[in-house]
Amino acid sequence: MAKRPIILHPDPRLKKVCDPVADLSDDLRRLADDMLETMYDAPGIGLAAPQVGVMSRLIVLDCEKNEDADPRPTVMFNPEVKAASDERNVYEEGCLSIPDQYADVERPSEVTVTWLDRDGRLQEDTFDGLWATCVQHEIDHLNGKLFIDYLGPMKRQMITRKMQKLKREKARA
């Protein structure tokens, strides 16, 4: 496994719709392992392939926050929301591609998702709470959407300007 660099907003790759995974290869499974290592190291609770420059429909997540519980690394190829509750939740979201910026985002409080696991088996599960928010956030990445796209234009522009400044500073360092 190897950590991969995380792409920072603004970057055109973060606004593109990703291609479905047609065939699960060892390279894609290795990518999933690399993404989990990158996510845990960041530290984060979710990561989508476009955030590491790969335009494939692959996300990883682990929202297990209880220190006494075992980690629950989850790998999803071609994840798709099949059903969403009418009930809504608001969570303060952040993003590894938009470090140190957070905002409240409203999403369905429960979603049913289908995906292929790392062995190519079709899976389906219903997520709620933080897991529901995280899986929706990561699937949004696969569709070229960022959490700041849910914000008003002023707040979105302010965050984008901060990120442009951060990227300039990193480029000079």
Side-chain angles (χ1 to χ4, degrees), residues 45 63-65 85 87-95 101-111 127-138 140 146-148 150-151 155 159:
I45 60 170
C63 301
E64 187 54 64
K65 292 304 217 178
S85 66
E87 187 181 326
R88 316 277 293 173
N89 265 351
V90 175
Y91 271 96
E92 184 181 62
E93 293 189 27
C95 181
Q101 302 299 315
Y102 303 92
D104 286 345
V105 176
E106 182 180 298
R107 298 180 184 271
S109 62
E110 191 175 279
V111 290
F127 299 92
D128 61 7
L130 182 59
W131 283 86
T133 295
C134 184
V135 75
Q136 291 173 84
H137 175 113
E138 299 309 328
D140 274 353
L146 301 172
F147 85 92
I148 60 171
Y150 290 93
L151 309 178
K155 177 100 171 148
I159 290 173

Side-chain angles (χ1 to χ4, degrees), residues 53-85:
V54 178
M55 304 313 292
S56 295
R57 296 188 77 79
L58 163 61
I59 63 173
V60 298
L61 49 152
D62 185 349
C63 301
E64 187 54 64
K65 292 304 217 178
N66 185 339
E67 291 184 18
D68 298 334
D70 291 331
R72 286 183 43 202
T74 305
V75 174
M76 297 180 170
F77 294 95
N78 299 332
E80 192 177 329
V81 174
K82 290 296 188 180
S85 66

Side-chain angles (χ1 to χ4, degrees), residues 18-39:
C18 294
D19 297 321
V21 172
D23 190 21
L24 285 185
S25 64
D26 287 340
D27 285 345
L28 280 171
R29 282 189 272 278
R30 232 180 335 275
L31 170 63
D33 292 340
D34 290 353
M35 287 172 56
L36 282 167
E37 182 175 340
T38 303
M39 176 192 78

